[in-house]
Amino acid sequence: MSQRVEHTLACYGTAIAAAAIFVLFAVAAPNFIHISNLLEILKDSSFLAILGLGFSLSFVTAELDLSFANICSLAAVVTGGLIHEEVSPWLAVLAGLVTGIAGGALNGFLVTRLKIPSLIATLGTASAANGLAFAETGGVAFVGRWDPTFLGVARGSVLGIPNLVLWTAVAAALVQFLLTATRLGMRMIFVGEADEAARLAGVKVRWMKFMGLSLSGLTAGFVAVLLTAHLNSAAPNMAGDFLLTSIAAVLVGMTMFQPGRVNVPGTLLGAFMIGMLGNGLVLLGAPYYVQDILIGVILVASVGLSAATLKKAAFGL
Amino acid sequence: MKKIVCSMTILGALTLAAPAHAFTLGIIAFQMSSETHARCANAAADEAKKKSWTVEVLNSGGSLPTHAAQIEDLIQKKVDALIICMGKPVETDSQLADAQKAGIPVVTAVAGASPHTLFDVEVNEFQNGAVAAAYLLSKIDYRGNILEERFEQNVATRERDKVLDAVLSENQAVKVIGVHTMARTKTWQQDVRNGMHALILQNKGNVQGIWASFDGQAYIIDDILQAQGMKKGDVVLVSLDGGPETYRRIKDPNSLLSATVAIPFEQIGQTAVDAVDKIVVHHVPKQQLASGPYILLNATLVDASNVDTMMKP
């Protein structure tokens, strides 16, 4: 294989596979290519994408945040609980965001001040967040006929484009700007790639890691608000399933565009790919257990196209 | 590349396998790993296949966002009707409204009513809870100590537990000396084992009855009791749901499970399909099947006296 083809496959192999699957679904799955269905995929992928972007911000500083899904559920319960009590929706939104960033900051404190490895610290925070969410609700979801203005945050649209898609675009633009155009973002990446060198260069390593984990929490709070508005309810474990899929979106994203590195376009495409697979297989009529198997196989096969680069990335990590 | 080609071949085969103009029924089970959800969804699927319908069964995996997305996916697929087993109609109000707008009739099973669905095929869980609670108390002569294994995160079990509280409030000679509330859903077996093991050890010899809010919990408690060397009749263990394993235990002389209230999950799934058939295919007015938002089916108390009947194929 020529070097050029190899390079193309390494950088765009997963993206090419995603495009191929898209074309396949477009040909084979009834209604897949319909604009309303494509918007549905984008809407459904938006939670994965935004949570993935948040996870990326801790991951670039070489810290793992395994608590974002549970912090998201807790923030959703806080937001939903306040709305249920007929507190001003905007105060409830603020409370959700504060809950998210507080959870992230707690992670940051545990990791940077108490020197607890992020894997353990965030697992602990996740468990505590889960307990708090159940304590708040008693296991019963907050549901009701809530303020349409609040619901419109996630359910509305602008010029036919669903708000969830727009929020995803805003979040992606902000994270891209942060990582590529600000001193803070570049320092976070520097810390993630070589923290000792960064420290010697005068970068405040602990602060960068603290910021990464806090921003991951803030993103979880933001998704909590969107999720609560989208579903008109808040349940104590409502975001639990996003943990692995959001991380998968980030890891799939790391196999394309800038192989081996967290990157915003890759994360977005990774989330879209996961959403597209779920939707396309439903439209094809695949049995639910086959869907799980095929999603696993297709993801592995797609990423396999960039395997050589992945190996390099693994050694790099 | 071979893997991609292989996957594409499978997908292509799936597409070709679907009949062209068959009536398409979408079935969504909220949590297929729960036996009761699976029994309802599988029975509905089997019933629909008997009518030569194309059936697509989806599993929301217990996740609300997935559940909402799957309803939207089936709307996009333009299924002819939708059955949702143990779904969350209030939380997915917006998606059900979309289905109604798209002209897709929806029947829910053990989920609760919604203005956007035809009706919910239900059993009365308050009534079931009352039957099980009254049975438990009658078997311990309305006096003594009981332990409770509860589950607050599920509507049906929560209703059963609340009715038990109401029945107990009228029977002051029965004391609740220990309560464990199942908190986890994915590792619930371990959760129940840990909680009840501790309570049983703590209160050994001082317990006359045990309440389990569903049969899965009762199996675990039964195993703990047997491991403690207890024999049938030492403690009255009562739960709800029914099914072959429950009936086997009720009949088993070594098991301490005394009774269950058998919910006809298969019949619920079949009734939902029959309702779709009548209303959507044969255009029978909805009011002829149910005057309100519910079709209520009956549950059966099963103990040693009638378990043989329930075990017949």
Side-chain angles (χ1 to χ4, degrees):
Chain A
M1 211 183 308
S2 77
Q3 218 172 357
R4 195 171 163 188
V5 172
E6 228 172 65
H7 178 261
T8 305
L9 275 183
C11 286
Y12 303 106
T14 312
I16 292 167
I21 294 165
F22 183 90
V23 171
L24 176 79
F25 282 144
V27 172
N31 306 320
F32 177 81
I33 200 69
H34 197 280
I35 189 72
S36 65
N37 187 54
L38 296 178
L39 287 174
E40 273 310 317
I41 297 174
L42 287 173
K43 271 166 63 181
D44 292 340
S45 312
S46 58
F47 304 114
L48 279 188
I50 302 175
L51 284 172
L53 290 168
F55 175 78
S56 304
L57 292 173
S58 64
F59 204 43
V60 290
T61 66
E63 298 298 345
L64 271 179
D65 181 2
L66 299 183
S67 66
F68 65 83
N70 282 7
I71 288 178
C72 180
S73 296
L74 174 62
V77 161
V78 169
T79 308
L82 289 173
I83 287 176
H84 206 66
E85 295 295 324
E86 297 182 353
V87 171
S88 156
W90 307 117
L91 194 63
V93 168
L94 183 66
L97 295 175
V98 169
T99 304
I101 201 165
L106 175 64
N107 283 331
F109 175 77
L110 295 172
V111 171
T112 60
R113 294 289 163 185
L114 302 186
K115 306 283 183 201
I116 299 170
S118 57
L119 184 75
I120 296 164
T122 57
L123 276 178
T125 313
S127 180
N130 189 45
L132 286 170
F134 277 102
E136 167 80 6
T137 59
V140 185
F142 293 119
V143 289
R145 300 276 180 262
W146 291 343
D147 185 342
T149 317
F150 170 70
L151 300 182
V153 168
R155 291 185 178 185
S157 61
V158 176
L159 300 173
I161 303 171
N163 285 356
L164 283 175
V165 178
L166 295 173
W167 285 122
T168 308
V170 169
L174 285 174
V175 173
Q176 177 73 0
F177 178 75
L178 173 73
L179 291 179
T180 59
T182 67
R183 197 176 286 181
L184 172 67
M186 284 185 246
R187 286 180 174 177
M188 283 166 68
I189 294 170
F190 187 15
V191 165
E193 292 188 349
D195 65 346
E196 188 55 21
R199 192 183 62 79
L200 291 171
V203 176
K204 291 175 181 169
V205 172
R206 287 196 301 192
W207 177 243
M208 294 302 130
K209 288 177 182 279
F210 181 86
M211 284 301 291
L213 287 161
S214 299
L215 288 172
S216 177
L218 175 64
T219 315
F222 179 52
V223 171
V225 170
L226 295 180
L227 201 53
T228 307
H230 178 60
L231 291 174
N232 189 45
S233 67
N237 56 358
M238 71 193 302
D241 279 14
F242 288 137
L243 177 64
L244 290 180
T245 40
S246 296
I247 293 176
V250 175
L251 296 180
V252 168
M254 284 174 67
T255 67
M256 49 189 150
F257 305 125
Q258 295 172 47
R261 284 186 158 189
V262 169
N263 66 89
V264 171
T267 301
L268 293 180
L269 190 53
F272 180 75
M273 201 170 159
I274 291 169
M276 175 180 70
L277 284 170
N279 174 276
L281 289 169
V282 168
L283 295 188
L284 274 182
Y288 67 92
Y289 46 88
V290 174
Q291 288 179 27
D292 286 344
I293 297 167
L294 280 181
I295 287 173
V297 169
I298 291 169
L299 282 176
V300 171
S302 307
V303 174
L305 283 172
S306 309
T309 319
L310 261 187
K311 275 182 202 159
K312 283 180 201 162
F315 284 117
L317 285 170
Chain B
M1 190 57 88
K2 275 183 186 168
K3 285 180 186 171
I4 296 290
V5 173
C6 186
S7 303
M8 288 175 174
T9 311
I10 294 169
L11 290 173
L14 281 167
T15 317
L16 293 173
H21 300 293
F23 184 91
T24 305
L25 176 69
I27 299 173
I28 303 177
F30 188 69
Q31 175 62 287
M32 211 60 172
S33 63
S34 161
E35 187 186 321
T36 54
H37 296 211
R39 282 171 59 189
C40 177
N42 290 337
D46 290 345
E47 190 68 14
K49 283 174 191 161
K50 279 186 205 161
K51 298 179 190 301
S52 302
W53 294 354
T54 300
V55 185
E56 177 152 9
V57 181
L58 299 180
N59 171 19
S60 303
S63 158
L64 261 181
T66 305
H67 192 56
Q70 286 177 337
I71 296 172
E72 291 289 0
D73 286 347
L74 289 177
I75 294 170
Q76 295 300 328
K77 191 180 165 79
K78 301 188 194 307
V79 291
D80 295 299
L82 190 54
I83 290 175
I84 300 177
C85 297
M86 287 79 169
K88 311 279 178 189
V90 179
E91 289 90 330
T92 52
D93 183 73
S94 154
Q95 287 73 28
L96 293 175
D98 287 347
Q100 192 177 36
K101 215 181 293 168
I104 298 172
V106 181
V107 173
T108 56
V110 199
S114 159
H116 310 302
T117 61
L118 290 174
F119 38 68
D120 186 45
V121 186
E122 266 284 7
V123 284
N124 186 334
E125 290 293 359
F126 292 107
Q127 188 181 329
N128 298 337
V131 168
Y135 182 91
L136 172 63
L137 268 56
S138 72
K139 290 293 171 186
I140 61 171
D141 289 333
Y142 302 95
R143 72 190 68 202
N145 300 325
I146 66 166
L147 297 177
E148 291 179 13
E149 177 64 55
R150 301 171 74 111
F151 182 35
E152 299 289 333
Q153 293 169 42
N154 175 279
V155 180
T157 52
R158 202 162 54 234
E159 288 174 356
R160 297 167 183 176
D161 293 341
K162 281 178 180 165
V163 171
L164 172 68
D165 293 341
V167 172
L168 285 170
S169 70
E170 293 295 325
N171 291 274
Q172 299 289 328
V174 178
K175 278 177 117 181
V176 179
I177 56 168
V179 177
H180 178 252
T181 302
M182 194 180 109
R184 303 186 189 345
T185 48
K186 287 185 178 160
T187 53
W188 64 270
Q189 289 97 335
Q190 195 56 30
D191 190 20
V192 172
R193 178 172 297 283
N194 291 344
M196 283 311 278
H197 194 253
L199 284 178
I200 289 166
L201 276 181
Q202 192 179 34
N203 298 289
K204 199 173 177 187
N206 195 28
V207 178
Q208 284 71 49
I210 300 181
W211 165 274
S213 58
F214 67 93
D215 284 349
Q217 294 176 332
Y219 303 159
I220 294 164
I221 296 166
D222 185 25
D223 291 345
I224 296 170
L225 294 172
Q226 287 186 54
Q228 300 283 320
M230 293 194 197
K231 301 286 174 221
K232 207 170 197 94
D234 288 349
V235 170
V236 179
L237 173 60
V238 171
S239 68
L240 301 93
D241 273 351
E245 172 61 15
T246 308
Y247 308 145
R248 186 195 68 72
R249 286 181 187 251
I250 290 172
K251 195 170 169 58
D252 181 356
N254 294 317
S255 165
L256 285 93
L257 185 55
S258 307
T260 189
V261 177
I263 316 290
F265 291 108
E266 286 79 8
Q267 195 191 345
I268 289 169
Q270 290 158 357
T271 304
V273 172
D274 280 342
V276 168
D277 187 35
K278 284 180 179 139
I279 293 171
V280 184
V281 180
H282 295 100
H283 307 292
V284 173
K286 178 195 156 186
Q287 288 71 18
Q288 280 190 20
L289 299 182
S291 54
Y294 292 103
I295 292 181
L296 282 170
L297 301 182
N298 292 321
T300 313
L301 176 73
V302 180
D303 67 359
S305 67
N306 62 347
V307 70
D308 288 334
T309 320
M310 300 301 286
M311 289 176 92
K312 280 180 192 161

